[in-house]
Amino acid sequence: KKVDTYSEYEERYVAFSAADMPPNSGFKQVNFNRTFSTIPFVYITLDIQDATVRVPYYANVTKTGFQVGSNYGAAVRGVWYKAYVK
């Protein structure tokens, strides 16, 4: 199997403190540790550990970061992401 190679790559987990969680139905900015040369492809998984169904979403991906949110922001503990440019 061929392994994908990337010209630019970053992955990490960003934890949100209680004071830093996204607002309900609003966005929270997450910045990359680097500036990509072009808008990267981004895989995003919100860290939601809640028995109630939540609606996760993301938007506004740029060369420097992206925004995440949920219908109930207090349920979001953080975000895992992988961003890359081939």
Side-chain angles (χ1 to χ4, degrees), residues 17-47:
S17 67
D20 202 30
M21 292 177 186
N24 292 346
S25 300
F27 288 118
K28 163 81 179 136
Q29 180 68 32
V30 177
N31 294 320
F32 300 130
N33 283 332
R34 59 178 298 147
T35 299
F36 285 88
S37 62
T38 187
I39 295 174
F41 187 88
V42 182
Y43 287 107
I44 297 169
T45 302
L46 293 184
D47 184 358

Side-chain angles (χ1 to χ4, degrees), residues 64-78:
T64 59
F66 57 92
Q67 294 178 317
V68 296
S70 175
N71 63 316
Y72 184 64
V76 183
R77 303 290 183 235

Side-chain angles (χ1 to χ4, degrees), residues 1-6 86:
K1 180 178 176 180
K2 181 183 173 202
V3 176
D4 286 333
T5 57
Y6 308 108
K86 283 200 169 201

